[in-house]
Amino acid sequence: MTSKGFKTNELGERNNFAIEPKVYVDKTPRAGFTKYAETLNGRLAMIGFVSLIAVEVITGHGLIGWLTNL
């Protein structure tokens, strides 16, 4: 039996030890060629490409011309 988070035995005595939570293990890989990593890399590449086009439109020079005029 349980009452308010405590377990009781057959005599009605309370067990004062904490009830252990269920262990959750995330088994998704965090390194390597995962779907998440590839999606993130693709999005960052798109942001970089659009930024490069914006720099060319604003300055009137390409990337190499913009970097060599510094």
Side-chain angles (χ1 to χ4, degrees):
M1 290 174 56
T2 58
S3 83
K4 295 185 183 180
F6 294 102
K7 289 190 175 187
T8 56
N9 62 8
E10 62 275 352
L11 299 175
E13 299 169 334
R14 255 200 267 189
N15 180 357
N16 291 329
F17 298 108
I19 298 173
E20 293 187 22
K22 294 189 185 280
V23 177
Y24 174 74
V25 178
D26 187 13
K27 293 187 178 187
T28 57
R30 298 281 181 196
F33 295 105
T34 62
K35 181 175 170 100
Y36 173 74
E38 293 299 315
T39 303
L40 183 63
N41 288 339
R43 289 177 181 167
L44 291 175
M46 287 185 274
I47 290 171
F49 187 71
V50 169
S51 300
L52 180 63
I53 292 174
V55 166
E56 287 190 26
V57 168
I58 292 170
T59 63
H61 299 286
L63 176 67
I64 296 172
W66 182 66
L67 291 175
T68 56
N69 286 336
L70 296 176

